[in-house]
Amino acid sequence: QVQLVESGGDLVQAGGSLRLSCAASGSISSVTAMGWFRRPPGKQRELVAQITSGGSMNYADSVKGRFTISRDNAKNTVDLQMNSLKPEDTAVYYCNVRIGSFPFHYDYWGQGTQVTVSS
């Protein structure tokens, strides 16, 4: 029904920048929020940044001031600009789209894109 495709992951040195992009396609409607999660090696998935349909934004404390999320509702895309990257940012990054609201909500996920930051 809904497909999410991420791009932009790469290997970069500490202090560098990357821009991740996510394109959604299919029968998409009633979007509550779009965002990015990540799973560092050996750790659980964690929220990086999200933007709601109303335009409000939430960031993990660890990325505030360095990452910026943006969206284009007309094109169903969401991007994550990542600056001043640190080795701790190394993870698989996943695009997320939430449809509806609790309790009748559903999450769609992309396949993930690898971000590796070398010291």
Side-chain angles (χ1 to χ4, degrees), residues 61-75:
D61 288 341
S62 60
V63 307
K64 286 182 179 178
R66 300 189 297 121
F67 292 9
T68 303
I69 190 169
S70 61
R71 71 175 184 181
D72 187 332
N73 288 337
K75 297 180 179 180

Side-chain angles (χ1 to χ4, degrees), residues 39-50:
R39 184 182 295 277
K43 297 182 178 181
Q44 288 192 323
R45 168 178 52 82
E46 63 184 20
L47 173 69
V48 178
Q50 66 178 181

Side-chain angles (χ1 to χ4, degrees), residues 2-7 21-25 34-37 39 45 78 92-98 106-114:
V2 175
Q3 294 179 319
L4 306 179
V5 180
E6 304 110 326
S7 63
S21 296
C22 175
S25 62
M34 302 182 71
W36 291 90
F37 291 71
R39 184 182 295 277
R45 168 178 52 82
V78 59
V92 178
Y93 285 70
Y94 297 92
C95 179
N96 166 259
V97 174
R98 170 159 286 190
Y106 190 85
D107 288 309
Y108 293 93
W109 298 92
Q111 81 286 353
T113 185
Q114 177 70 49

